[in-house]
Amino acid sequence: MAGSWDGSHDTGSQSDESHQFDRLHIEPLYDAFVCPLTKQVMHDPVTSENGQTFERAAIENWFKECRENGRKLVCPLTQKELRSTELKPSIALRNTIEEWTARNETAQLDMARRSLNLGSSESDIVQALRYIQHICQKSRINKHVVRNAALVPMIVEMLKSGSRRVRCKALDTLRIAVEEDEDVKEIIAEGDTVRTVVKFLSHEQSKEREEAVSLLYELSKYEVLSEKIGSVNGAILILVGMSSSKSENVLTVEKAEKTLENLESCENNVRQMAENGRLQPLLTQLLEGSQETKLSMASFLGELALNNDVKVLVAKRVGSALINLMKSGSILSREAALKALNQISCEASAKVLVDADILPPLVKDLFTVGANQLPMRLKEVSATILAHIVNSGIDFDGIPVGPDHRTLVSEDIIHNLLHLISNTGPAIECNLLQVLVGLTSSPATVLSVVAAIKSSGAIISLVQFIEAPQRDLRLASVKLLQNLSPHMDQELADALRGTVGQLGSLMRVVTENAGITEEQAAAAGLLAELPERDLGLTRQMLDDGAFQQIIYRVRRIRQGETRGIRFVTPYLEGLVRILARITFILPDEPGAVQLCREHNVAALFIELLQSNGLDNVQEVSAMALENLSRESRNLTRLPELPPPGLCSSIFPCFSKQPVITGLCRLHRGTCSLRETFCLLEGQAVEKLVALLDHTNEKVVEAALAALSTLLEDGVDIEQGVAILCEVEGIKPILNVLMDKKTDSLRRWAVWAVERLLRTEDIAYEVSGDQNVSTALVDAFQHADYRTRQIAERALKHVDKIPNFSGIFPNMA
């Protein structure tokens, strides 16, 4: 023992180690010191009536067993009967043992001290650490001995050892030393030990992590160290991760959780936990803390970035408390509450906040003027919260926000919003426009907003925001106008025409070369909703060169040359609808015809017919082709026949009609897709027939309307029927009639079928089809007046009604 620790006791339980150290002595061990029952050095020696000495606890346990087992009371050594259980303390022996123990412990502690250096062997260091653990666990007084012997810094130094066993044992020894001893904790707090221990939390070896978190748990019970642990960069983040880990052992997870609970005593730690996803301590303090703490926690909550799921949870827990704080008189409290509510408000949490009655104080803050009004920077926050909530899709028509059952869509509330929009800065204007965007996005509230805007005459001022330099403000304005356009299309068209530069600004947004943005898609949607037959608006766009830019953008999208996949569909739909406008002014505007020829617009629309999955694009393209096809008969150049000769004029029977080749069967003249927009020349008929089988009734109706131009007066109807026969288009048209999907579709189908039935072969074949006859009879009986007339003629063609039966009087 004089030179080193005995390494033969390297493993075993904590109890075994204690016994080992009790048997480890520098001075000789006298037999009188050892209890004959326990074979260990006695701490409280007592003497029985027959003069034998034992450890008090051991002999008392012997007496107890004798009584419980009904045996005679005998001496465990001599087996002679004892008359009494009286025990006398051996004070002199106890004092001698204590002196002997103290001398041995001092010597052993000195040996441990010499072993605690990084140059010692692993076994000597581990044995020394075990001895220190042993004496610390024997009594609290021994911890003072360890502290006074300056062993704590030496143990900390062992954390730098290259041996994992030494590091683990050092962590465990520090844990035992600091348990219920603030003096040792103060020593730990003085240096950089806490940072060193925290580093072990991220070690690969689980044993080191376990020992480190157990030590931190003990240290965290001391407030000074609790703050110091939190100040170590990454400490709380790692502990939060460990407390929710599925891979750590249960003990480690529990200790990490308990450590975090201790760290909650420090406000800075609570903030760090919130930053790292552990929000509960912050929310608890916001609910239960002092007024100052509530204010502090609310302010910090307003700075956190939270995902939507967490926002909902936070709104459920502290939403009402924040709303109450928002309604308090202190401007600081209102500011903190508003910023926190702004942070947790989103579409997902909107209902929770509305149920907590956030709307009345929010609207009041926005509209209040005078002494109690909020600063404009806080009104901006209020507007942001309101925008988040309104864009959730909740029906706000029935939610009161003020006296007399006023709601967000009450006329005076909308008027107040419009007044604020016109008299504040860009940031709050943008948020308030977003509020109106949300209200006009709902079918339940849009008409109320439209009525209020009409009564206020605010459409002109709303249109002016199209030219705002701030992109967010411009986007909100365009989205609002897009929502209004189905209900105020003519008012918007008049405003855009009547205000200098607004239409041009809108077109610049649509056609700017920055990929495809939400703003561009919204602007295209707005222009698409304007009245398609507004000749003045279309001419202005034509004069500004807008259609050429639209054609260029559509072709780039079709060729896959644009960026911005997210908004490409609504953007393309808007562009196609804008381009289709030009086909409505062809009869009145030669410039429109010229543009369609130069850019081969008919071919582009035929290509767009094949945009599978884009129903709106297919529908609008078919409508545009209907207009172009109808204009074909006005553009077709009819052949010029030579004048008859003298003989032909005298003897007509000898005259012979000249044969002219290369003429269009349908229009009886010279046709082409580019010049005259002829569907036959553009091979569009078969593509339109294919759309008659579409699942979208609007696409079917548009395709049928375009095909009907082959059967109109002014073209060779027989040839039109023949063309449809060649592409197998007769049966699909009859199927549309029999499907009876909508009244509008039935009107087109009855008209087209009546034209087809003028051909005897088709009439003969259809007359045997009971389903077609039933569909015509149904139209004859239940359709509108004009369709019933046409159905009557169709039924005459198939001999279902006699030709002499004048069911309807002639109409002028």
Side-chain angles (χ1 to χ4, degrees):
M1 279 300 304
S4 64
W5 298 99
D6 181 7
S8 62
H9 300 282
D10 198 35
T11 61
S13 67
Q14 188 70 48
S15 177
D16 291 339
E17 289 180 6
S18 298
H19 296 167
Q20 167 199 337
F21 289 116
D22 283 339
R23 296 194 297 268
L24 199 58
H25 314 298
I26 303 300
E27 291 186 14
L29 176 61
Y30 300 98
D31 291 340
F33 293 176
V34 177
C35 172
L37 293 177
T38 64
K39 309 303 182 189
Q40 296 179 27
V41 176
M42 291 182 285
H43 299 286
D44 187 10
V46 292
T47 304
S48 65
E49 68 174 34
N50 66 351
Q52 298 295 327
T53 304
F54 304 93
E55 177 70 51
R56 180 186 293 276
I59 189 62
E60 287 179 346
N61 189 57
W62 169 265
F63 291 158
K64 180 181 177 184
E65 288 180 359
C66 287
R67 287 193 299 270
E68 289 176 351
N69 296 328
R71 298 198 311 260
K72 290 181 180 181
L73 193 64
V74 298
C75 173
L77 293 180
T78 64
Q79 295 300 311
K80 291 181 179 180
E81 187 173 350
L82 298 173
R83 293 189 303 273
S84 169
T85 59
E86 183 181 354
L87 301 170
K88 294 180 180 180
S90 299
I91 297 174
L93 179 59
R94 185 178 64 189
N95 291 339
T96 302
I97 292 173
E98 286 178 353
E99 291 171 2
W100 177 87
T101 301
R103 289 195 300 274
N104 274 290
E105 286 182 348
T106 301
Q108 290 170 334
L109 201 59
D110 185 59
M111 186 180 295
R113 181 185 181 87
R114 291 197 301 272
S115 297
L116 287 180
N117 68 80
L118 296 177
S120 299
S121 67
E122 179 186 280
S123 60
D124 280 353
I125 297 173
V126 170
Q127 192 74 347
L129 292 170
R130 282 178 173 165
Y131 179 71
I132 295 171
Q133 290 183 12
H134 165 68
I135 63 170
C136 285
Q137 289 169 329
K138 283 185 68 175
S139 71
R140 291 188 62 182
I141 295 175
N142 285 346
K143 292 188 179 182
H144 296 295
V145 174
V146 169
R147 184 196 66 207
N148 294 336
L151 287 174
V152 175
M154 298 178 72
I155 300 169
V156 170
E157 188 70 14
M158 295 304 101
L159 297 177
K160 300 177 183 178
S161 171
S163 165
R164 182 174 65 84
R165 288 181 61 229
V166 169
R167 294 194 301 270
C168 287
K169 186 57 69 174
L171 288 167
D172 192 31
T173 305
L174 287 171
R175 175 187 62 79
I176 293 169
V178 301
E179 281 179 348
E180 301 180 2
D181 194 309
E182 292 196 358
D183 292 335
V184 178
K185 289 176 181 175
E186 285 181 2
I187 296 173
I188 299 290
E190 289 172 0
D192 205 33
T193 307
V194 172
R195 185 180 303 276
T196 303
V197 175
V198 168
K199 289 180 180 178
F200 282 97
L201 295 179
S202 57
H203 274 216
E204 293 181 4
Q205 293 293 335
S206 61
K207 183 63 178 173
E208 288 176 285
R209 290 200 304 273
E210 292 170 25
E211 298 292 359
V213 77
S214 295
L215 173 55
L216 286 173
Y217 167 61
E218 290 300 329
L219 296 176
S220 66
K221 296 176 182 178
Y222 186 45
E223 190 170 342
V224 173
L225 280 168
S226 176
E227 189 171 347
K228 190 156 189 175
I229 292 170
S231 69
V232 177
N233 186 35
I236 287 179
L237 173 60
I238 297 171
L239 285 167
V240 168
M242 292 177 75
S243 69
S244 58
S245 173
K246 303 298 183 185
S247 58
E248 298 283 356
N249 67 49
V250 175
L251 181 62
T252 302
V253 171
E254 289 178 356
K255 282 293 173 68
E257 177 65 29
K258 290 180 179 179
T259 303
L260 287 168
E261 289 173 5
N262 291 339
L263 295 181
E264 290 172 14
S265 61
C266 175
E267 202 170 284
N268 285 334
N269 292 345
V270 171
R271 291 194 180 96
Q272 281 196 66
M273 291 178 199
E275 285 179 337
N276 293 300
R278 187 182 173 92
L279 279 168
Q280 208 56 45
L282 182 145
L283 302 182
T284 299
Q285 291 200 19
L286 202 155
L287 289 171
E288 302 173 4
S290 65
Q291 193 65 22
E292 184 180 353
T293 299
K294 289 180 179 179
L295 181 59
S296 173
M297 293 298 107
S299 298
F300 190 73
L301 181 59
E303 299 171 8
L304 289 177
L306 308 173
N307 64 45
N308 285 349
D309 290 339
V310 174
K311 288 181 180 181
V312 174
L313 294 174
V314 175
K316 288 179 179 177
R317 182 84 195 278
V318 299
S320 295
L322 288 171
I323 291 168
N324 290 333
L325 198 61
M326 179 183 75
K327 293 189 287 188
S328 68
S330 164
I331 193 68
L332 290 176
S333 298
R334 293 168 74 185
E335 179 172 3
L338 280 169
K339 289 182 176 179
L341 286 166
N342 180 39
Q343 203 59 38
I344 66 172
S345 61
C346 63
E347 292 183 18
S349 64
K351 188 175 188 313
V352 177
L353 295 174
V354 169
D355 290 343
D357 213 21
I358 192 176
L359 289 179
L362 205 58
V363 171
K364 181 182 176 182
D365 281 346
L366 273 174
F367 297 154
T368 297
V369 294
N372 293 324
Q373 73 172 344
L374 284 178
M376 195 56 67
R377 60 186 173 80
L378 294 186
K379 286 196 174 189
E380 179 186 332
V381 179
S382 297
T384 306
I385 298 169
L386 188 58
H388 290 164
I389 292 173
V390 168
N391 280 281
S392 65
I394 297 174
D395 181 6
F396 292 93
D397 192 32
I399 301 174
V401 298
D404 303 322
H405 304 289
R406 286 187 299 173
T407 69
L408 278 179
V409 292
S410 295
E411 187 176 54
D412 61 330
I413 297 291
I414 298 298
H415 285 176
N416 284 335
L417 287 172
L418 293 169
H419 177 75
L420 271 177
I421 289 171
S422 300
N423 294 279
T424 52
I428 192 170
E429 287 170 346
C430 180
N431 287 316
L432 293 175
L433 285 172
Q434 287 287 6
V435 171
L436 293 178
V437 169
L439 293 174
T440 54
S441 297
S442 168
T445 53
V446 61
L447 294 180
S448 299
V449 179
V450 167
I453 290 175
K454 286 183 176 180
S455 67
S456 68
I459 195 67
I460 297 295
S461 60
L462 291 176
V463 166
Q464 291 175 356
F465 285 109
I466 292 174
E467 290 190 308
Q470 298 85 2
R471 182 178 292 273
D472 289 345
L473 182 56
R474 202 167 59 234
L475 171 61
S477 169
V478 171
K479 288 171 71 175
L480 173 60
L481 296 176
Q482 182 187 11
N483 290 349
L484 295 173
S485 57
H487 313 281
M488 301 181 68
D489 55 350
Q490 195 57 60
E491 291 93 332
L492 279 168
D494 294 341
L496 287 169
R497 273 201 315 273
T499 310
V500 177
Q502 306 297 337
L503 186 60
S505 297
L506 202 56
M507 276 307 305
R508 280 194 295 276
V509 171
V510 172
T511 57
E512 66 179 358
N513 291 315
I516 300 175
T517 64
E518 183 182 13
E519 182 185 12
Q520 286 182 291
L526 168 58
L527 282 173
E529 288 289 350
L530 300 179
E532 57 196 14
R533 297 183 185 276
D534 188 316
L535 186 59
L537 192 64
T538 306
R539 278 179 173 159
Q540 187 173 338
M541 293 175 67
L542 186 63
D543 293 342
D544 292 343
F547 292 108
Q548 291 93 324
Q549 297 179 65
I550 297 293
I551 292 167
Y552 171 73
R553 295 290 287 183
V554 170
R555 285 192 167 132
R556 284 197 63 194
I557 291 173
R558 294 294 295 173
Q559 294 164 6
E561 296 178 6
T562 53
R563 305 184 311 278
I565 301 302
R566 182 180 175 189
F567 301 106
V568 67
T569 297
Y571 182 59
L572 178 61
E573 289 174 349
L575 292 181
V576 174
R577 288 182 65 188
I578 297 169
L579 182 57
R581 294 180 64 89
I582 200 160
T583 66
F584 288 91
I585 67 167
L586 293 173
D588 306 305
E589 185 57 60
V593 174
Q594 185 60 31
L595 182 138
C596 289
R597 284 172 169 169
E598 287 179 7
H599 295 276
N600 203 4
V601 170
L604 180 56
F605 280 120
I606 291 171
E607 180 187 344
L608 290 167
L609 284 179
Q610 302 173 80
S611 302
N612 295 329
L614 301 178
D615 294 5
N616 291 338
V617 171
Q618 291 177 307
E619 177 193 355
V620 173
S621 298
M623 290 170 57
L625 288 171
E626 175 194 355
N627 295 336
L628 289 164
S629 178
R630 189 166 285 118
E631 189 64 17
S632 293
R633 60 193 179 197
N634 300 324
L635 300 176
T636 299
R637 289 187 294 108
L638 299 177
E640 295 182 5
L641 299 177
L646 179 62
C647 293
S648 297
S649 60
I650 298 174
F651 304 105
C653 58
F654 291 106
S655 66
K656 185 177 181 180
Q657 287 292 102
V659 177
I660 303 176
T661 59
L663 299 181
C664 174
R665 297 163 56 189
L666 188 65
H667 299 109
R668 310 185 196 94
T670 303
C671 278
S672 71
L673 179 63
R674 178 185 284 271
E675 295 296 323
T676 66
F677 321 136
C678 178
L679 297 184
L680 179 61
E681 295 295 325
Q683 300 178 344
V685 178
E686 191 170 0
K687 296 179 178 65
L688 288 166
V689 168
L691 290 179
L692 296 179
D693 193 37
H694 203 285
T695 55
N696 187 324
E697 294 91 342
K698 292 182 178 180
V699 176
V700 175
E701 182 177 336
L704 183 56
L707 289 170
S708 296
T709 60
L710 307 181
L711 306 173
E712 289 181 341
D713 297 336
V715 301
D716 191 325
I717 296 177
E718 288 187 7
Q719 287 299 320
V721 173
I723 292 165
L724 288 171
C725 286
E726 291 167 9
V727 297
E728 299 181 351
I730 306 300
K731 181 63 175 173
I733 293 175
L734 295 175
N735 288 339
V736 173
L737 172 66
M738 292 184 287
D739 284 345
K740 298 181 293 186
K741 291 183 177 178
T742 65
D743 290 342
S744 179
L745 196 51
R746 179 164 68 175
R747 280 194 293 272
W748 276 109
V750 169
W751 185 92
V753 168
E754 189 276 329
R755 294 279 167 145
L756 294 174
L757 294 178
R758 294 181 185 184
T759 302
E760 290 184 3
D761 291 345
I762 295 176
Y764 176 77
E765 186 175 343
V766 169
S767 63
D769 190 327
Q770 188 59 41
N771 291 329
V772 175
S773 299
T774 300
L776 287 171
V777 170
D778 183 69
F780 174 63
Q781 293 175 338
H782 303 109
D784 60 78
Y785 186 82
R786 178 61 180 157
T787 304
R788 288 161 66 189
Q789 283 186 309
I790 298 171
E792 178 192 8
R793 291 201 297 269
L795 288 168
K796 287 179 180 178
H797 295 322
V798 292
D799 295 330
K800 298 298 180 182
I801 295 180
N803 279 331
F804 56 80
S805 61
I807 303 299
F808 295 100
N810 290 331
M811 301 295 293

